[in-house]
Amino acid sequence: APRAPVAVSSVSSMTQGKRRHSENWVKLIYLRAAHFKDFDHPGQPWEITSYAEAKTRKMCLASRDQFTEYNRRQIARVYPWGGRIDSSNLDPSLAWASGCQMVAFNFQTGDQPMWLNRGRFGENGGGGDVLKPPPLRGAGGASAPPPAAPPATSAGPLTPITSPATTAARIPRV
């Protein structure tokens, strides 16, 4: 059986010899990498599936509707082909149009795909995220807005946090 997500903390301070963790960081939930099996077997809500550039193109072209529906309920991350020795970038348009949430870029290269990325995420002042268009959100193409508040957990309601962190590798256990 898959393990449930684990709360992690990366902000702490020492108080009288005891470690004290920031309340908001303790509520942070991680995403676990998972392999794509097929469209009929979605993963858990806390899992993220990574696709190479070629596989993404194949799925977008051969199974567009299924891939788009899959991306309504799963988080997808797309990365460029490893043979791009010139650090060029893949065209993100196909992945974005299929509902993929994350597309990796080589930021050292100012090519056309990078300009598309800058333009897309300039919509929100460069904050790093843009809400998907309504047809790419919700089950079955429903365009309902996201819930007003995140669901409560056994530890109480979740609180949205803002963080300057860019990675969360090697976080100590609480």
Side-chain angles (χ1 to χ4, degrees):
R3 290 180 47 201
V6 178
V8 295
S9 171
S10 66
V11 176
S12 64
S13 62
M14 296 298 285
T15 306
Q16 298 175 357
K18 294 183 180 181
R19 186 171 294 223
R20 193 184 73 203
H21 300 280
S22 164
E23 272 300 309
N24 288 335
W25 280 104
V26 171
K27 295 177 185 177
L28 179 67
I29 303 297
Y30 77 92
L31 297 173
R32 185 180 76 187
H35 291 284
F36 172 78
K37 293 179 182 125
D38 58 50
F39 294 117
D40 297 326
H41 295 90
Q44 298 297 322
W46 59 83
E47 293 178 332
I48 182 170
T49 306
S50 295
Y51 302 97
E53 177 178 354
K55 184 170 186 171
T56 303
R57 178 175 297 284
K58 180 181 176 185
M59 291 173 74
C60 288
L61 298 176
S63 309
R64 184 192 66 199
D65 292 341
Q66 288 178 299
F67 191 46
T68 301
E69 183 61 34
Y70 186 83
N71 288 330
R72 283 189 182 109
R73 61 183 189 270
Q74 292 298 134
I75 297 176
R77 171 177 53 195
V78 179
Y79 56 90
W81 175 56
R84 289 181 178 270
I85 58 173
D86 61 351
S87 296
S88 60
N89 288 296
L90 66 115
D91 182 353
S93 302
L94 199 56
W96 289 340
S98 297
C100 294
Q101 293 84 354
M102 293 183 231
V103 179
F105 286 89
N106 295 308
F107 273 72
Q108 69 270 23
T109 307
D111 54 6
Q112 183 180 9
M114 191 64 192
W115 282 105
L116 288 171
N117 184 61
R118 287 182 181 151
R120 174 86 173 123
F121 291 96
E123 294 177 18
N124 70 347
D129 62 310
V130 174
L131 190 62
K132 287 186 195 182
L136 296 177
R137 289 184 267 146
S143 59
T153 64
S154 59
L158 297 176
T159 304
I161 62 172
T162 302
S163 168
T166 57
T167 183
R170 300 177 188 247
I171 298 174
R173 291 181 180 242
V174 177

